[in-house]
Amino acid sequence: MDYHFLFEIAVILLSTKVLGILTKRFALPQVVGALLAGLLLGPAMLGVLQETTLMDQLAELGVIVLMFNAGLETDLGELKRSGKAAFVIALIGVLVPLAGGFALAAAFNRGPDAFLQNVFIGVVLTATSVSITVETLKEIGRLSTRSGSAILGAAIIDDVLGIIGLTVITSLGGGGANVWVVLGKIAAFFAVSVVVWMVMHRFVDWWFRRYSRDKRRFVVLSFAFCLLYSFFAEAVFGVADITGAYIAGLIFANTCWVAYLQDRFDTLSYALLSPIFFASIGLKVVLPEMSTTILLFAVLLVLWAVVSKVVGCGLGAKLCRYSNQDALRIGVGMISRGEVALIVANNGIAAGLMKEEFFGPVVLMVIATTILTPVLLKLVYRGKEHDYSDLQESELVNAYEDAAAFDLASQALLEDHENLKQSARKK
């Protein structure tokens, strides 16, 4: 048996963490460091690591856990209460990048299979990474403002719309099946999922409340359900496995022990699966193959990624009677594509919906928008650091702050435990 995979995993974990810490020192998300680790160690630069079947499988597990976590964090009830404004902002913020992304890709990609590939580039651009924006808004004390709440609500709806778009496009790209058959299977999947959610959500909440002693069983069984539903989505309905993982997360969302589940799956994710997933994205990029034409495409893709969200989401905000300043802030807050676009792009490569030479520009677009968003957010909120006139209550904001508080409380308990052990030794 070849044990070289142990060395490869260790190198990925160490390099992604070291570069993640370095990027964090520059006030950038650690996902940027993980991507750079994959680029640095992969065929694009040093060539230390190569794609393997095991790495691909672990990366797929990583993306499933990320999407399951995204489902756990989604509060459907609060999304309904966030009302028309968040939906309008998200909808226009999806349609504008989608249309422009398709047009841009069509200018560089023509051929018999080009239509779905070009639509897929548009789908990648619809994504929004809420985590990066949330961290920046928390840092400058603007998360609980009217514009901050709008960004958070619109970003979550944006993810739901993106999942639907990804489901449709990947299903249509799966071997030339009849479009009506594909759409019928997608509709059937979502119909079944609604029924499963109605039954399982109530059962899970009842079960969680009844058994409160050993909570570890909840983690094991919820993860098993996530994997089964991901398989069920892909094998039975031809829907992307990450869609199944997201809906599995929705089933466990808003139950009494959801914060406990989020904490445990966060640990599983950052300790092993997420670093491998993000590094594997970097391993797929082959920069020497980026011709002048592809470099031009990359530059235009980055520009459109920024402009489309500012224009689309800003227009949606203006239609909902936000001020010009708040509309600009909302648009800027939705720029970051982060891990969401990477998840979509990774599925596109697997489904044959993205030309390999376009993958490099997409990764560069993700890195650029991830770096730009915190910088631009701080600029558009400049001078508002001590202005509390537009603060407001939001359940979505509270949910994010509760999750952060749970994590801090867990760390504090561990520290207290260690202090008690040290005190006992001294006695």
Side-chain angles (χ1 to χ4, degrees):
M1 182 176 179
D2 184 5
Y3 291 96
H4 190 67
F5 74 94
L6 298 174
F7 169 78
E8 292 175 339
I9 292 174
V11 168
I12 287 175
L13 294 179
L14 289 172
S15 61
T16 53
K17 178 47 67 178
V18 169
L19 285 172
I21 291 170
L22 286 175
T23 53
K24 193 174 182 180
R25 290 200 171 192
F26 291 95
L28 296 172
Q30 295 194 50
V31 65
V32 175
L35 278 173
L36 292 176
L39 284 169
L40 182 66
L41 297 173
M45 298 186 74
L46 299 179
V48 175
L49 298 176
Q50 302 290 331
E51 279 191 90
T52 64
T53 302
L54 175 63
M55 289 299 170
D56 286 342
Q57 289 171 339
L58 287 175
E60 190 66 22
L61 265 179
V63 75
I64 284 172
V65 170
L66 281 170
M67 292 306 295
F68 182 65
N69 252 338
L72 289 175
E73 293 172 358
T74 302
D75 186 338
L76 294 177
E78 180 59 25
L79 284 183
K80 291 178 186 176
R81 289 189 291 275
S82 65
K84 183 182 71 174
F87 180 78
V88 170
I89 292 167
L91 182 61
I92 301 179
V94 163
L95 293 177
V96 172
L98 176 63
F102 169 77
L104 177 61
F108 288 85
N109 182 33
R110 295 183 177 88
D113 300 322
F115 179 78
L116 284 179
Q117 292 175 353
N118 297 337
V119 171
F120 189 79
I121 293 294
V123 172
V124 171
L125 288 176
T126 64
T128 294
S129 175
V130 67
S131 58
I132 293 160
T133 296
V134 165
E135 288 304 315
T136 306
L137 290 175
K138 282 165 67 177
E139 182 185 329
I140 61 178
R142 300 285 92 195
L143 183 59
S144 295
T145 60
R146 186 168 181 245
S147 56
S149 298
I151 291 169
L152 188 53
I156 295 171
I157 294 171
D158 189 301
D159 284 348
V160 175
L161 294 175
I163 286 290
I164 294 170
L166 174 66
T167 300
V168 172
I169 194 69
T170 52
S171 298
L172 290 174
N178 183 284
V179 63
W180 296 111
V181 172
V182 170
L183 292 176
K185 290 174 76 174
I186 293 169
F189 170 75
F190 282 109
V192 169
S193 295
V194 169
V195 175
V196 171
W197 180 86
M198 291 172 66
V199 174
M200 285 295 296
H201 183 77
R202 292 181 181 180
F203 169 75
V204 165
D205 196 47
W206 169 83
W207 180 50
F208 280 8
R209 291 179 190 281
R210 182 170 178 176
Y211 296 99
S212 58
R213 295 183 300 277
D214 182 8
K215 299 180 187 63
R216 289 173 296 182
R217 68 185 69 177
F218 302 151
V219 179
V220 174
L221 293 172
S222 60
F223 190 30
F225 180 81
C226 166
L227 296 176
L228 285 171
Y229 210 74
S230 300
F231 172 78
F232 172 78
E234 188 81 56
V236 178
F237 292 97
V239 169
D241 55 357
I242 61 172
T243 306
Y246 183 78
I247 289 174
L250 289 178
I251 288 169
F252 289 87
N254 244 21
T255 53
C256 59
W257 295 113
V258 67
Y260 177 81
L261 291 180
Q262 284 177 253
D263 181 66
R264 293 302 181 266
F265 281 103
D266 277 342
T267 303
L268 172 65
S269 186
Y270 76 69
L272 176 65
L273 298 176
S274 288
I276 291 175
F277 168 66
F278 291 121
S280 74
I281 295 293
L283 293 178
K284 288 182 171 71
V285 179
V286 184
L287 293 177
E289 293 184 3
M290 291 179 68
S291 62
T292 305
T293 303
I294 294 299
L295 285 172
L296 176 61
F297 174 71
V299 171
L300 293 175
L301 190 68
V302 171
L303 288 174
W304 182 244
V306 174
V307 171
S308 61
K309 284 293 184 181
V310 174
V311 172
C313 297
L315 177 60
K318 282 301 296 176
L319 290 175
C320 296
R321 299 183 179 179
Y322 282 80
S323 67
N324 290 336
Q325 202 172 35
D326 275 348
L328 176 62
R329 290 166 181 163
I330 290 167
V332 169
M334 300 285 282
I335 287 173
S336 177
R337 300 318 198 269
E339 70 281 0
V340 182
L342 293 176
I343 289 168
V344 175
N346 193 55
N347 274 264
I349 283 284
L353 285 168
M354 183 184 289
K355 294 180 70 173
E356 288 189 10
E357 55 265 41
F358 282 0
F359 194 72
V362 167
V363 172
L364 292 177
M365 178 272 293
V366 168
I367 293 173
T369 56
T370 302
I371 291 171
L372 281 171
T373 300
V375 175
L376 294 176
L377 268 176
K378 289 175 183 179
L379 283 175
V380 296
Y381 276 102
R382 189 168 55 184
K384 289 285 186 180
E385 289 83 357
H386 304 293
D387 179 5
Y388 305 109
S389 59
D390 62 342
L391 293 181
Q392 65 176 32
E393 184 75 12
S394 167
E395 290 297 328
L396 283 174
V397 171
N398 291 342
Y400 272 85
E401 291 176 342
D402 287 348
F406 187 89
D407 188 46
L408 290 172
S410 299
Q411 293 180 45
L413 284 172
L414 289 172
E415 289 171 6
D416 289 344
H417 177 68
E418 189 61 31
N419 291 335
L420 286 170
K421 283 172 65 180
Q422 289 178 2
S423 299
R425 289 193 194 103
K426 289 177 182 177
K427 290 177 183 178

